[in-house]
Amino acid sequence: MACEKHKLSYSSLLEDACRPFPSSRKIYISGSRDDIQVGMREVLLSDTSGRFGNEKNEPVRIYDTSGSYTDDKPLHDLKRGLPLLREKWIIERQDTEKLKGKSSVYAHSRNQDLRFDSVRFAEKKTPRKAQSGKCVTQLHYARRGIITPEMEYIAIRENLGRTAAGIDSPITPEFVRREVAEGRAIIPANINHPETEPMIIGRNFLVKINVNIGNSAVTSSVEEEVEKMLWATRWGGDTIMDLSTGKHIHETREWVVRNSPVPVGTVPIYQALEKVKGKVKDLSWEVLRDTIIEHAEQGVDYITVHAGVLRAHAAKTRDRVTGIVSRGGGILAQWCELHDAENFLYTNFRELCEVCQAYDVALSLGDGLRPGSSADACDEAQYAELKTLGELTQIAWEYDVQVMVEGPGHVPMNRIKENMDLQLEYCHEAPFYTLGPLTTDIAPGYDHITSGIGAAMIGWYGCAMLCYVTPKEHLGLPNRDDVKAGVIAYKIAAHAADIAKGHPGARVRDDALSKARYEFRWEDQFNLSLDPETAVAYHDETLPQDGAKSSEFCSMCGPDFCPMRMTQDVREMDSSKQPAL
Amino acid sequence: MACEKHKLSYSSLLEDACRPFPSSRKIYISGSRDDIQVGMREVLLSDTSGRFGNEKNEPVRIYDTSGSYTDDKPLHDLKRGLPLLREKWIIERQDTEKLKGKSSVYAHSRNQDLRFDSVRFAEKKTPRKAQSGKCVTQLHYARRGIITPEMEYIAIRENLGRTAAGIDSPITPEFVRREVAEGRAIIPANINHPETEPMIIGRNFLVKINVNIGNSAVTSSVEEEVEKMLWATRWGGDTIMDLSTGKHIHETREWVVRNSPVPVGTVPIYQALEKVKGKVKDLSWEVLRDTIIEHAEQGVDYITVHAGVLRAHAAKTRDRVTGIVSRGGGILAQWCELHDAENFLYTNFRELCEVCQAYDVALSLGDGLRPGSSADACDEAQYAELKTLGELTQIAWEYDVQVMVEGPGHVPMNRIKENMDLQLEYCHEAPFYTLGPLTTDIAPGYDHITSGIGAAMIGWYGCAMLCYVTPKEHLGLPNRDDVKAGVIAYKIAAHAADIAKGHPGARVRDDALSKARYEFRWEDQFNLSLDPETAVAYHDETLPQDGAKSSEFCSMCGPDFCPMRMTQDVREMDSSKQPAL
């Protein structure tokens, strides 16, 4: 549909993804071994000069999720996928092997089906799996005291290179290992997604954001979904979830995973339902299990499973204003009812863990009964499910499977902290991953803002990852522009949370931007911002002249009323007649 | 400049302002006397039907700041101004008189100057003033136990008609009176702005938002500023501030005040500086005093005065990253330095109060030393000034002058509550009125969001009015679209705060919208939203067909994956085989 309208080509997608950020260069910080090279963006600043004194301004390092697309000389072919950054580390551990013969029945038959040749990702790869009896999760290694290259990579990345530069930081590779070992953080890193740049989700690290993409039966194409992935990671998405429910789910995911520099999450039950032609009654653990293996073989780094939607909990939603609003939750509640049976994800949870530990697929325990409105927030159904998720967390940990726990949704501001505190208590400090929460229901079209407020707050209170919400929430499937609007709103929320938490160095970028602002280094102010293109466009709307970029005012106040210019005047008067003022 | 580009006409401005909201009608609730008629917008909803049962959905009443522009049959002429709603109440009190002869020297001479005939508001009006020795402030009446028609109007308005409908509410006319008498709330209501619909600013009422408009030397025209005022009040601005610093300040303000259904605030020192041709050294109490009288005679309801910018406090900003960022603060700090003298607003504060009590101009004690960056937040300079504002509050109260206190600015989330608590303590519970605060500095172009987060939080903590921030903040003068974006973001923040505070009835609109959402009453969902136009446009981007407005899905999930449809399926299965689920 929409794709036919704007006719995307992979080369134009790539061009957009590789466009350099202004006055920025990609740098790589080396770890203890040559193949640990952590990419960061460095924004180069102009010198302070003239009346503000003479001073060099150090470049500012920015946590970079855009992968090698923003390398100085990017070498890419979307049809071949990204380089295999982690492959050597995975092989070195000698606990995996290439898959012999078929594993996911569906994947095998789908890959043979000639009808999908035209949309299929061409580059073939044989998936890996743990050797029989082995567990290949980062949690497993961490518990055995092993610091993996992934952990070291993360320590450097979280410090934005401070460790490498010899600056003290609490975030050491050993700190990363311990947080993972204790279940407070996860490293989503499927052995079949060696393209991913290691990152961590945990409340003692930078707050992360997830970006949902994916088609629906109504709209979108493979190209559009690849475009959204590239756009999401360019603007700062730390993970993406491919929530496709429309056509070509298998092929779309392959394209996305092979080209994604960040971990990819999915909700396998969506595809399982598509496999049974939308008939909830026909779903079964067997269909879902095969789908999960299919995803695991493709390299999905974490999956959402709504294993906590128990019949007794779902019954508690009966008097809600908005019932069940999680797609997975809705499917499973309906299945239970149709079969007069308990949720098959709950009853087969241990077998699920066995699958996950063979690929290092992290579990994201879905909150299928999250509230869909302020009216339903913090009710019995929600908290009953949360307790069950806590029990499941402990079971997953028995299998060394990494776990995070999903949360709401819609919560008034005065009850956000309660949600965070209860999650920590019920779920034994496993990382919390929330959708917003939206703090009011009256602004469809602006739910990136209603939820950005809640997201910032819960991030400050300890939420590890914030699932973005776009302006299209409740109204339609987001397009590329909506994805960007959602990402920027959530980068703001996550960063505000990092500052409030006192994360070491979180304010470096703020302070550099504020100094540039005060000194009328307009270009530096734009370049340090989350979205330089928009900042410069807004400025230039009224003052497009080149000279305005060195003026000591903008069109807001005009030349006579700029308070920052006046302060500087006062400071100069002051220093010329010390010690007054 | 810009005005020449888009050539506005007053008739087209009016057409936009009067465009009815979809499925809405204006209702008027009567008070104890015939001329108390409180306007509200009522959104009419469709019935619940079909599988969701059969039920009438009551109309939802919405607090309405758009004045009579959205009457069912609006009768307006921007060249003549709004009807004089409060005139009779003011005259009845028999404590005012029409001005005899000139009062503001500048206003008198300006009104005689033929050069400004082309931009002048045509309708002439003789201003009123208190009779000699009288005080005409709402605080004065409140302290004497008088419930004014303004207070009764406000009680009805805050209750959205609940009182009139016989429903119990804590907000009675007497409650309004007491809150005003005790200084916890103000009613900005200049006797020369009888066009204004009474409203209240105090933490025990709905959280209000202010919308800054005004030209600068660089851009804008009278027409554009009238347009921004109309646009601001249409989308929910509770007060506006005309911060013009460019051409025709006097004339622009007259046009704005005569047509504004909400209180108008100004910062008189901006115009005073323009009068002395931008030379800070030439400013004096005399020039400013005449300017304040000029504003008071025109009907300005509250003025910002930076009387707390003392020399000793300003000295504490020396090591700041961003110095002084309040325009008024910058001007006064510079004046002090140039004259080696204390701030003339501080030294003449009692005379200022005498002027204010003669017109009921409320004081908004400006925070001239508010931080301009996270780096400078909550520093000694800021809090020292806040304490001084507390002293000035008590002096104003000696004169029965209404007072609110302005606050930051830029504050990390973890220190927002501290700001609120200290303001209540230092300023004796006078209403707090903050600009944001911005919770991070890294997102120019999106500061309606960085600050919307802080605004929602401080509103919840007790801030009475939130000064909006637009996407253009730090970059340029906002235009009409930016004004709307800022207003919507701040309506969200204020409403989220009302809900978190548990304001009676705050969630009625949310719950009605959520119910409509669940029942797939798409039109009702759009019509109940803050911005129906945007909501419907987003929905129609992918599903423009008329039939989609009654579909049980949107393009986000498509027909098979709508969780709310599934819940309803489950509920139906459930009720057909009681008592299971």
Side-chain angles (χ1 to χ4, degrees):
Chain A
M1 300 208 175
C3 64
E4 284 148 29
K5 269 186 270 159
H6 63 270
K7 287 280 179 212
L8 298 170
S9 76
Y10 285 117
S11 63
S12 74
L13 298 191
L14 198 55
E15 200 176 302
D16 271 5
C18 294
R19 200 165 67 245
F21 280 91
S23 195
S24 293
R25 68 174 175 210
K26 191 76 167 232
I27 59 160
Y28 282 90
I29 310 277
S30 306
S32 64
R33 42 188 281 178
D34 284 349
D35 62 355
I36 296 181
Q37 295 289 336
V38 184
M40 289 170 200
R41 178 153 70 93
E42 222 174 43
V43 181
L44 305 174
L45 305 179
S46 57
D47 297 342
T48 299
S49 65
R51 64 194 303 213
F52 296 100
N54 290 298
E55 193 181 354
K56 258 195 90 61
N57 292 298
E58 290 302 314
V60 172
R61 287 181 180 171
I62 291 178
Y63 191 102
D64 191 349
T65 57
S66 65
S68 53
Y69 296 106
T70 50
D71 276 0
D72 290 343
K73 290 182 184 157
L75 285 170
H76 278 291
D77 180 351
L78 290 173
K79 293 183 178 164
R80 302 198 58 188
L82 288 169
L84 308 179
L85 176 68
R86 294 167 53 236
E87 187 177 45
K88 196 171 152 209
W89 309 341
I90 294 163
I91 293 172
E92 268 180 10
R93 289 193 275 258
Q94 299 187 336
D95 50 7
T96 60
E97 59 191 7
K98 292 233 173 185
L99 205 63
K100 295 164 192 126
K102 62 182 179 181
S103 174
S104 159
V105 178
Y106 177 85
H108 184 74
S109 76
R110 185 87 179 179
N111 288 336
Q112 310 301 320
D113 194 327
L114 300 176
R115 288 175 300 166
F116 304 111
D117 275 0
S118 63
V119 288
R120 188 173 285 133
F121 184 78
E123 199 80 358
K124 288 245 168 79
K125 224 185 62 165
T126 311
R128 304 189 80 84
K129 190 181 171 182
Q131 293 163 13
S132 173
K134 302 273 184 182
C135 175
V136 299
T137 70
Q138 295 286 323
L139 173 54
H140 183 71
Y141 306 134
R143 281 178 164 176
R144 298 178 152 209
I146 298 166
I147 294 174
T148 62
E150 285 88 344
M151 296 172 196
E152 187 185 338
Y153 187 107
I154 286 164
I156 296 170
R157 194 174 194 185
E158 290 278 327
N159 285 316
L160 293 175
R162 276 176 204 85
T163 314
I167 298 168
D168 269 357
S169 159
I171 297 173
T172 60
E174 166 57 18
F175 181 82
V176 172
R177 187 202 63 74
R178 201 172 56 235
E179 289 291 300
V180 172
E182 293 177 3
R184 273 194 300 273
I186 67 167
I187 299 173
N190 186 325
I191 54 170
N192 290 312
H193 191 199
E195 298 92 344
T196 192
E197 297 183 345
M199 56 79 69
I200 195 161
I201 301 166
R203 73 180 195 282
N204 294 319
F205 300 92
L206 291 165
V207 175
K208 303 303 187 297
I209 69 167
N210 170 65
V211 180
N212 288 340
I213 63 167
N215 66 16
S216 76
V218 178
T219 186
S220 195
S221 64
V222 173
E223 289 84 350
E224 278 175 279
E225 295 311 317
V226 170
E227 181 185 35
K228 286 184 206 166
M229 178 277 289
L230 292 170
W231 214 232
T233 53
R234 176 176 178 80
W235 294 108
D238 292 291
T239 76
I240 56 161
M241 289 192 82
D242 177 0
L243 304 186
S244 290
T245 56
K247 273 194 294 192
H248 304 135
I249 300 183
H250 180 85
E251 291 72 24
T252 303
R253 185 170 50 242
E254 188 71 23
W255 276 97
V256 165
V257 173
R258 297 286 73 82
N259 286 295
S260 173
V262 303
V264 177
T266 58
V267 187
I269 203 155
Y270 297 169
Q271 193 188 358
L273 184 63
E274 195 250 359
K275 288 179 185 176
V276 297
K277 302 189 172 41
K279 292 198 170 31
V280 171
K281 197 172 176 30
D282 294 348
L283 276 175
S284 65
W285 166 240
E286 289 65 34
V287 173
L288 183 62
R289 185 181 185 283
D290 192 70
T291 307
I292 290 170
I293 293 171
E294 171 195 350
H295 290 216
E297 289 175 359
Q298 284 186 298
V300 166
D301 302 284
Y302 64 92
I303 57 172
T304 295
V305 288
H306 301 89
V309 179
L310 302 191
R311 301 189 75 194
H313 304 339
K316 295 184 205 294
T317 66
R318 199 183 306 218
D319 297 323
R320 279 183 168 183
V321 172
T322 45
I324 297 175
V325 296
S326 144
R327 292 190 284 196
I331 294 166
L332 285 158
Q334 197 170 12
W335 186 91
C336 293
E337 203 54 28
L338 289 163
H339 288 268
D340 204 2
E342 193 52 278
N343 181 342
F344 59 75
L345 267 161
Y346 182 77
T347 54
N348 293 282
F349 193 74
R350 286 178 183 272
E351 196 182 339
L352 170 66
C353 292
E354 285 166 9
V355 174
C356 290
Q357 66 172 192
Y359 303 90
D360 202 2
V361 172
L363 285 176
S364 187
L365 298 177
D367 53 336
L369 305 180
R370 67 170 173 270
S373 55
S374 306
D376 295 340
C378 312
D379 69 354
E380 245 192 294
Q382 184 196 333
Y383 288 151
E385 183 186 28
L386 186 63
K387 274 190 191 164
T388 301
L389 300 185
E391 292 160 23
L392 296 171
T393 296
Q394 289 188 305
I395 296 173
W397 284 346
E398 285 179 33
Y399 293 81
D400 285 354
V401 168
Q402 305 190 88
V403 186
M404 60 182 168
V405 175
E406 298 185 9
H410 293 246
V411 184
M413 280 192 287
N414 57 318
R415 303 196 68 178
I416 292 177
K417 188 159 192 306
E418 158 194 334
N419 271 267
M420 187 66 231
D421 293 346
L422 286 177
Q423 189 272 340
L424 289 175
E425 182 191 333
Y426 293 170
C427 301
H428 322 286
E429 300 193 52
F432 204 21
Y433 166 32
T434 59
L435 178 68
L438 282 73
T439 53
T440 159
D441 306 329
I442 65 169
Y446 298 85
D447 279 331
H448 59 312
I449 301 181
T450 63
S451 69
I453 294 167
M457 291 175 71
I458 204 159
W460 167 34
Y461 296 144
C463 186
M465 185 156 77
L466 311 170
C467 183
Y468 91 156
V469 171
T470 78
K472 284 273 173 63
E473 185 75 15
H474 299 116
L475 298 170
L477 194 73
N479 61 24
R480 167 179 135 149
D481 291 342
D482 302 317
V483 166
K484 180 176 169 187
V487 169
I488 299 285
Y490 272 67
K491 289 304 278 185
I492 289 170
H495 188 70
D498 287 333
I499 291 175
K501 284 164 74 176
H503 191 92
R507 236 184 50 203
V508 169
R509 186 174 179 180
D510 298 72
D511 292 354
L513 191 147
S514 296
K515 184 168 184 283
R517 186 174 273 162
Y518 181 69
E519 294 172 355
F520 300 102
R521 289 183 281 116
W522 285 100
E523 298 283 3
D524 289 349
Q525 187 189 158
F526 304 148
N527 297 339
L528 282 165
S529 73
L530 278 181
D531 178 4
E533 292 166 22
T534 298
V536 75
Y538 282 174
H539 176 271
D540 288 2
E541 219 174 281
T542 45
L543 287 171
Q545 308 85 342
D546 259 0
K549 307 276 188 347
S550 51
S551 298
E552 297 199 346
F553 63 93
C554 73
S555 70
M556 177 92 143
C557 304
D560 287 346
F561 281 87
C562 179
M564 295 203 292
R565 183 190 56 70
M566 287 182 203
T567 312
Q568 188 54 24
D569 290 345
V570 174
R571 285 186 180 177
E572 283 168 17
M573 283 186 268
D574 177 35
S575 61
S576 67
K577 54 164 183 172
Q578 287 290 359
L581 187 78
Chain B
M1 298 210 177
C3 62
E4 284 149 28
K5 269 186 271 160
H6 61 271
K7 287 279 179 213
L8 299 170
S9 76
Y10 285 116
S11 62
S12 73
L13 298 192
L14 198 54
E15 201 176 302
D16 272 3
C18 295
R19 198 164 67 246
F21 280 90
S23 195
S24 293
R25 68 175 176 209
K26 192 77 167 229
I27 58 159
Y28 282 90
I29 310 276
S30 307
S32 63
R33 41 187 282 179
D34 284 350
D35 62 353
I36 297 182
Q37 294 289 337
V38 184
M40 288 169 200
R41 177 153 72 93
E42 222 175 40
V43 181
L44 305 175
L45 305 179
S46 56
D47 297 342
T48 298
S49 65
R51 65 195 302 212
F52 297 100
N54 290 299
E55 193 181 354
K56 260 196 89 58
N57 292 298
E58 290 303 313
V60 172
R61 287 179 180 172
I62 292 178
Y63 190 102
D64 191 348
T65 58
S66 64
S68 52
Y69 295 106
T70 51
D71 276 0
D72 290 344
K73 290 182 184 158
L75 286 170
H76 278 292
D77 181 351
L78 290 172
K79 293 184 178 164
R80 301 197 58 187
L82 288 169
L84 308 180
L85 175 68
R86 295 168 53 237
E87 187 177 46
K88 195 171 154 210
W89 309 341
I90 294 161
I91 293 172
E92 268 180 9
R93 290 192 274 260
Q94 299 188 336
D95 50 7
T96 60
E97 60 191 7
K98 293 233 173 186
L99 206 64
K100 294 165 192 126
K102 63 183 178 181
S103 173
S104 159
V105 178
Y106 176 85
H108 184 76
S109 76
R110 184 85 179 183
N111 288 336
Q112 310 301 320
D113 194 327
L114 301 177
R115 287 175 301 166
F116 304 111
D117 276 359
S118 63
V119 289
R120 188 173 284 132
F121 184 78
E123 199 80 357
K124 287 247 167 77
K125 222 185 62 162
T126 310
R128 304 188 80 84
K129 192 182 170 179
Q131 292 163 12
S132 174
K134 302 275 186 183
C135 174
V136 298
T137 70
Q138 295 286 324
L139 174 54
H140 183 71
Y141 307 134
R143 282 177 164 176
R144 297 179 155 210
I146 299 166
I147 294 173
T148 62
E150 285 88 344
M151 296 171 195
E152 187 186 338
Y153 186 107
I154 285 164
I156 296 170
R157 193 173 194 185
E158 290 278 328
N159 284 318
L160 292 175
R162 274 177 206 85
T163 313
I167 298 168
D168 269 358
S169 159
I171 298 174
T172 60
E174 167 57 19
F175 180 82
V176 172
R177 185 202 64 74
R178 201 172 57 234
E179 289 292 300
V180 172
E182 292 177 5
R184 274 193 300 273
I186 67 167
I187 299 172
N190 185 325
I191 54 169
N192 289 312
H193 190 199
E195 298 92 345
T196 192
E197 298 183 345
M199 57 78 71
I200 195 161
I201 301 167
R203 74 180 193 284
N204 294 319
F205 300 92
L206 291 164
V207 175
K208 303 304 187 296
I209 69 167
N210 171 65
V211 181
N212 288 340
I213 63 168
N215 65 16
S216 76
V218 178
T219 186
S220 194
S221 65
V222 173
E223 288 84 349
E224 278 175 280
E225 296 312 316
V226 171
E227 182 184 35
K228 287 184 206 167
M229 177 277 290
L230 291 170
W231 213 231
T233 53
R234 176 176 178 80
W235 295 108
D238 292 290
T239 75
I240 56 162
M241 289 193 80
D242 178 0
L243 304 185
S244 291
T245 57
K247 273 193 294 190
H248 305 135
I249 300 183
H250 180 85
E251 291 73 24
T252 302
R253 186 170 48 243
E254 187 72 23
W255 275 97
V256 166
V257 173
R258 297 286 72 82
N259 286 294
S260 173
V262 303
V264 177
T266 58
V267 188
I269 202 155
Y270 297 170
Q271 192 188 359
L273 184 62
E274 194 251 359
K275 288 179 184 176
V276 296
K277 301 185 173 43
K279 292 197 169 35
V280 171
K281 196 173 176 30
D282 294 348
L283 276 174
S284 64
W285 166 240
E286 289 66 35
V287 173
L288 182 62
R289 185 181 185 283
D290 192 70
T291 306
I292 291 170
I293 294 171
E294 172 195 348
H295 290 216
E297 289 175 359
Q298 284 186 296
V300 166
D301 302 285
Y302 63 91
I303 57 173
T304 296
V305 289
H306 301 89
V309 179
L310 302 192
R311 301 189 75 193
H313 304 339
K316 294 184 206 294
T317 66
R318 198 183 309 218
D319 297 322
R320 280 183 167 183
V321 172
T322 44
I324 296 174
V325 296
S326 143
R327 292 190 283 197
I331 294 166
L332 285 158
Q334 195 170 16
W335 185 91
C336 292
E337 203 55 27
L338 289 163
H339 287 267
D340 204 1
E342 194 52 278
N343 180 343
F344 58 75
L345 267 161
Y346 182 79
T347 54
N348 292 282
F349 192 75
R350 286 178 182 271
E351 196 182 339
L352 170 66
C353 292
E354 286 166 8
V355 174
C356 290
Q357 66 172 196
Y359 304 90
D360 201 2
V361 172
L363 285 176
S364 186
L365 298 177
D367 54 335
L369 304 180
R370 67 170 172 269
S373 55
S374 306
D376 297 339
C378 313
D379 70 353
E380 245 192 294
Q382 183 197 333
Y383 287 150
E385 183 187 28
L386 186 63
K387 275 190 190 162
T388 301
L389 300 184
E391 292 162 22
L392 295 171
T393 296
Q394 290 188 304
I395 296 173
W397 284 345
E398 285 178 33
Y399 293 81
D400 285 353
V401 168
Q402 304 190 88
V403 187
M404 60 182 168
V405 175
E406 297 185 11
H410 294 246
V411 184
M413 280 192 287
N414 58 317
R415 303 196 69 178
I416 291 177
K417 187 158 193 306
E418 157 193 335
N419 271 267
M420 187 66 231
D421 293 346
L422 287 177
Q423 189 271 342
L424 289 175
E425 181 190 334
Y426 294 169
C427 300
H428 322 286
E429 301 193 51
F432 205 21
Y433 165 32
T434 60
L435 179 67
L438 282 73
T439 53
T440 160
D441 306 330
I442 66 169
Y446 299 85
D447 279 331
H448 59 312
I449 301 181
T450 63
S451 69
I453 295 166
M457 292 175 69
I458 205 159
W460 168 34
Y461 297 144
C463 185
M465 185 156 78
L466 311 170
C467 183
Y468 92 155
V469 171
T470 80
K472 284 274 174 63
E473 185 74 16
H474 298 116
L475 298 171
L477 194 73
N479 61 26
R480 167 179 135 150
D481 292 340
D482 303 316
V483 166
K484 180 177 170 187
V487 169
I488 299 284
Y490 272 67
K491 288 304 278 184
I492 289 170
H495 188 70
D498 286 333
I499 291 175
K501 285 165 73 177
H503 191 91
R507 237 185 48 203
V508 169
R509 187 175 179 180
D510 297 72
D511 292 354
L513 192 147
S514 297
K515 184 168 185 282
R517 185 174 275 161
Y518 180 69
E519 294 172 356
F520 299 103
R521 288 183 280 114
W522 286 99
E523 298 284 2
D524 288 349
Q525 186 188 159
F526 304 148
N527 297 339
L528 282 164
S529 74
L530 278 181
D531 179 4
E533 292 167 21
T534 298
V536 76
Y538 281 175
H539 176 272
D540 288 2
E541 220 175 279
T542 45
L543 287 171
Q545 308 84 342
D546 260 359
K549 306 274 187 351
S550 50
S551 298
E552 295 200 348
F553 63 92
C554 74
S555 70
M556 178 92 145
C557 303
D560 286 346
F561 281 88
C562 179
M564 294 202 294
R565 182 189 57 71
M566 289 180 202
T567 312
Q568 188 54 24
D569 291 344
V570 174
R571 285 187 180 176
E572 283 167 18
M573 284 186 265
D574 177 35
S575 60
S576 68
K577 54 165 181 168
Q578 287 290 2
L581 186 77

